[in-house]
């Protein structure tokens, strides 16, 4: 006879637990749980980072000093806005002498989405080969333009690392860029 009161107690506890919604009073229709899951995933997804909401520092670099040498230029981004996500690679263009050329993504790298809270920093690195002054395959770069994924807006920075060697021509820079990585820790 004692089994009946225990079974009723267990059933009541189970019903009480399944009726808990945890998502507030905004749920309509269905079990509430599917609404909570959709709401949670929407909250967890951050918008793409906007270049206007980031502080960007180019360098200091390990600059290539002679033609044929390889140099590395670290670039640091600091999120000054709301929580946001960087996915993939930055868009980089170099310009000089009326020629504009894109810097390719490092094909050996596998980018992962990177979420930044306000004040968080991320980095990427530009690796390049210095060209010879006056060579037809060299681009005398004066400006570096940086765009974040999914946006056409750019910020321009002076290029002070010497001429950039081309792979086959000056419009095909011998340079690459890494994906975004968390800075610090």
């Amino acid at each position: 006879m004692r089994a009946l009161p225990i079974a009723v107690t267990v059933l009541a506890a189970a019903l009480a637990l399944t009726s808990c919604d945890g998502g507030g009073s905004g749920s309509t229709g269905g079990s509430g749980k599917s609404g909570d899951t959709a709401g949670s995933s929407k909250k967890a997804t951050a918008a793409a980072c906007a270049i206007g909401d980031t502080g960007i520092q180019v360098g200091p670099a390990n600059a290539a000093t002679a033609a044929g040498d390889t140099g590395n230029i670290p670039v640091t981004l600091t999120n000054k806005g709301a929580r946001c996500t960087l996915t993939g690679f930055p868009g980089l263009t170099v310009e000089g002498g009326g020629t504009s050329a894109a810097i390719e993504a490092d094909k050996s790298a596998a980018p992962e989405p990177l979420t930044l809270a306000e004040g968080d920093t991320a980095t990427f690195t530009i690796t390049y080969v210095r060209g010879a002054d006056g060579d037809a395959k060299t681009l005398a770069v004066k400006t570096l333009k940086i765009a974040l994924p999914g946006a056409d807006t750019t910020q321009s920075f002076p290029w002070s690392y010497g001429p950039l060697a081309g792979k086959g021509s000056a419009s095909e820079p011998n340079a690459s860029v890494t994906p975004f990585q968390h800075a610090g820790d």
Side-chain angles (χ1 to χ4, degrees), residues 2 12 60 64 67 70 72 105 123 131 140 146 159 173 179:
R2 289 183 60 168
T70 300
N72 296 299
T123 64
I146 300 173
W159 178 275

Side-chain angles (χ1 to χ4, degrees), residues 21-183:
D21 177 287
S25 60
S27 297
T28 58
S31 68
K33 284 197 171 221
S34 64
D36 292 345
T37 302
S40 297
S41 66
K42 287 180 185 173
K43 291 177 190 172
T45 302
C49 294
I51 202 157
D53 292 334
T54 60
I56 300 177
Q57 178 183 346
V58 178
N62 173 18
T65 55
D69 288 350
T70 300
N72 296 299
I73 307 164
V75 179
T76 304
L77 294 98
T78 303
N79 181 21
K80 295 182 176 184
R83 183 178 188 86
C84 64
T85 301
L86 294 168
T87 304
F89 295 86
L92 303 180
T93 305
V94 287
E95 297 178 344
T99 301
S100 178
I103 294 179
E104 293 182 1
D106 180 351
K107 292 177 180 18
S108 67
E112 295 184 17
L114 186 65
T115 301
L116 301 176
E118 183 177 0
D120 282 353
T121 57
T123 64
F124 62 86
T125 302
I126 304 165
T127 301
Y128 72 100
V129 175
R130 185 176 179 131
D133 284 320
D135 186 337
K137 294 182 183 178
T138 296
L139 180 58
V141 178
K142 300 294 181 200
T143 305
L144 168 67
K145 290 187 175 185
I146 300 173
L148 297 182
D152 293 330
T153 306
T154 63
Q155 279 191 14
S156 297
F157 299 88
W159 178 275
S160 59
Y161 311 107
L164 183 56
K167 292 178 185 175
S169 70
S171 62
E172 299 175 84
N174 191 351
S176 64
V177 61
T178 65
F180 298 102
Q181 300 172 353
H182 267 294

